[in-house]
Every structure is written in C-alpha cells, then in structure tokens.
Amino acid sequence: MLLVSMSSSPSLLYLASHRAQVRVAASSNVGANGSGSFPTFLPIAVEHIRDGAAIQMAKRIERLPVQTGFSGSPIMSSCVRPLKQQQTKDPVVLLHGFDSSCLEWRYTYPLLEEAGFEAWAVDVLGWGFSDLETRPPSDVASKREHLYQFWRSYIKRPMVLVGPSLDAAVAIDFAVNYPETVSKLIFIGASVYAEGTGDMTRLPKFVPYAGVFMLKSLPLRLLATRLAFKNIPSGLIFFDWVQIGYLHCLLPWWEDATVEFMISGGYNVINQIKQVISFEHLKYYYFSHC
C-alpha cells in the first residue's frame, strides 16, 4: 500500500523540494491552457510566488464542469488532473485540509506521478479555486454531492481517497454515503472527533463574518503556518508558504462560502467512523504528521 505523507509536512518539503520541482517542470512545463502561464482565474497574487513546485502546480490547475442537483448550471470546479489516466491501479484522489487548496500537494503530487499513479488533486467545494460566483451552498451535503458528481464525471473507478486534517472527515462522510466509489482511505493527521461548529443559525450574520475576517488576517495566517510545521524555514521562504496557503482566500466568494459552511454546522462524523471500519471491502490507513 502506498504511504502518503502530508504534502505540507517539513520532512517532505525539505527532502523532496528540489526533486519535485524538477519532476513537475519536466512533466508540466505548460499550464492547463497550454500557454505556460498561470490560469487566468487564479488571483493575480500568484505572480508573486517563488516556490518552484507551487508555481508549476498552479500552472496545471484547471476548472472542469460539474453538474449538481443544487446548482442550475455546472460548477466550474478546480483541480489538478493526471496527464494520462490508466487502468492498472486505483486512482489516488488527494483532498486538502480545512480552508486550503490543491496547492497543499505541490511536493507530493509529482512524486505520485513519477511512481506511476493516476493522481488527482481536487479542491473541495467552498475552498480552493472553483468558480463560485453564483454562491452555491457549501454545507456538508453539498460538498459530498459535488465530490460524487466530480468522481462520476471524470474518475469513474473506485479510488484511494486521501484526507488530511479536517478532510479526513470529508473522506469518511463521503465513503459512508458512496461506498462503491472508494477502495481505500488514507487519513493523515485526521481531525474526525470534533462535533462540527455547532448551531450558529441564531447568531447575527456579522458574528461568523467577523470570525472569517480573523481567519483571513495576516497575523493569524502567519501563526497558522508556523504551527503547521515542525521546522520553520527562515526569511522569504516562510512568507512564500504563507502566501501559497492564503492565495485562495483572495477570491471574491471565499468569505461567503466559508460563512455558509460555518453556519451549516460543519462536519460531525463521530457516528460514521464505526461504519467505515465495518466495511469489508474498504481498507483504511492512518498516519500522523511526519
């Protein structure tokens, strides 16, 4: 079984950084639009990133149409998809942590490709770089259906679903509701015993928006980046990592989508954990942070 380490873990960043940048550049020296430039839907701040692996992966991000039952028109959904799909191994689908994007996997993704895996890095609805101009709902049920319709449209085979942090809860919720889509689960630093965000429906709207304002603030982003790593790089590298993790927050619908998720109650999968364990066809693996 494949051992996948968290893409943002320091051990992977330091050991694989140079090799990953070379490999991605070799396999993807043009963007999704074939021009070698960044996709036009990314915030302009992407031009300031200096991390080579992040630059190359950002150039591969594209939006694919996903039709759901809760949106009248297809949602143009952001992801990095494999250069070539193959049938010999189950595809590996990489989710990202809470309030993040597929750029989390910038060092791991090229290693998976080099190992011969069909790898997908998918932005969970409400986060990442999907087009949410119409403000589709971003609650748990909508995230689940969106991921299923993405799988149904493009992946179409049982997958190895990788969920770090809160997205381990996303993976559990998804596997319980669509067990036929998942062959293996990989949890990394799983956050699955929290009981969601609680009932926020009675709070004035400015309260969750104030919380989201704090979540977006630079001091909190600096602190979060520092807490996320065991070994902190010095100088400009550290600020570059902060900017990479902050990039998706610059999209105009980020605040609304995040507040929508918070008000909806978030993920509470405690009662679903035993169901996942009981599935005879499903293998699961848990790794703590490296």
Side-chain angles (χ1 to χ4, degrees):
M1 182 57 205
L2 174 69
L3 171 62
V4 181
S5 296
M6 189 171 185
S7 57
S8 57
S9 84
S11 60
L12 189 55
L13 288 176
Y14 286 112
L15 291 176
S17 174
H18 176 69
R19 291 183 300 160
Q21 290 179 35
V22 172
R23 287 164 183 162
V24 176
S27 63
S28 177
N29 55 14
V30 295
N33 56 15
S35 66
S37 59
F38 292 110
T40 57
F41 56 77
L42 292 182
I44 195 170
V46 72
E47 301 284 351
H48 303 302
I49 290 175
R50 294 295 174 261
D51 184 300
I55 289 171
Q56 295 302 330
M57 192 161 188
K59 289 180 178 181
R60 286 185 62 179
I61 297 174
E62 56 186 301
R63 285 174 171 172
L64 302 177
V66 175
Q67 184 65 64
T68 66
F70 56 82
S71 177
S73 58
I75 297 172
M76 299 304 295
S77 305
S78 50
C79 68
V80 175
R81 60 173 166 177
L83 297 174
K84 182 180 179 181
Q85 290 183 255
Q86 42 96 346
Q87 300 294 325
T88 58
K89 300 176 183 177
D90 290 348
V92 178
V93 177
L94 306 168
L95 305 178
H96 52 71
F98 170 74
D99 185 31
S100 187
S101 76
C102 57
L103 290 177
E104 235 182 56
W105 298 105
R106 59 193 179 274
Y107 293 103
T108 304
Y109 192 90
L111 301 179
L112 291 173
E113 285 197 321
E114 185 183 70
F117 287 91
E118 177 188 322
W120 297 74
V122 179
D123 282 338
V124 176
L125 181 69
W127 300 313
F129 303 102
S130 297
D131 183 357
L132 306 182
E133 182 66 38
T134 60
R135 304 299 193 274
S138 299
D139 57 5
V140 170
S142 300
K143 292 181 190 295
R144 181 197 311 136
E145 183 186 342
H146 175 264
L147 181 57
Y148 174 72
Q149 296 299 341
F150 185 97
W151 173 87
R152 186 173 175 225
S153 297
Y154 301 105
I155 301 173
K156 303 177 183 179
R157 294 148 45 219
M159 59 184 168
V160 179
L161 188 58
V162 184
S165 188
L166 179 68
D167 275 35
V170 177
I172 287 175
D173 174 77
F174 186 80
V176 166
N177 285 276
Y178 301 108
E180 73 280 3
T181 68
V182 181
S183 62
K184 299 178 182 68
L185 287 172
I186 298 179
F187 305 139
I188 306 170
S191 176
V192 296
Y193 288 101
E195 297 184 2
T197 60
D199 184 7
M200 301 181 66
T201 57
R202 298 182 181 180
L203 293 176
K205 268 294 185 68
F206 75 84
V207 175
Y209 274 98
V212 167
F213 176 81
M214 290 296 297
L215 184 62
K216 190 177 180 179
S217 66
L218 182 58
L220 187 59
R221 290 282 165 172
L222 289 167
L223 176 61
T225 303
R226 181 168 293 276
L227 293 176
F229 299 99
K230 294 179 182 178
N231 299 307
I232 301 298
S234 59
L236 296 178
I237 297 176
F238 173 67
F239 288 100
D240 204 38
W241 287 2
V242 173
Q243 187 166 335
I244 292 166
Y246 179 78
L247 190 63
H248 67 284
C249 301
L250 300 176
L251 293 173
W253 42 78
W254 176 80
E255 289 91 348
D256 293 337
T258 304
V259 167
E260 159 80 21
F261 173 72
M262 292 170 59
I263 292 177
S264 71
Y267 279 92
N268 183 349
V269 299
I270 294 175
N271 294 329
Q272 295 175 311
I273 294 174
K274 290 183 178 179
Q275 291 178 261
V276 169
I277 295 174
S278 68
F279 287 156
E280 294 183 359
H281 79 285
L282 185 63
K283 296 181 180 180
Y284 63 93
Y285 304 81
Y286 172 79
F287 304 108
S288 60
H289 291 78
C290 296

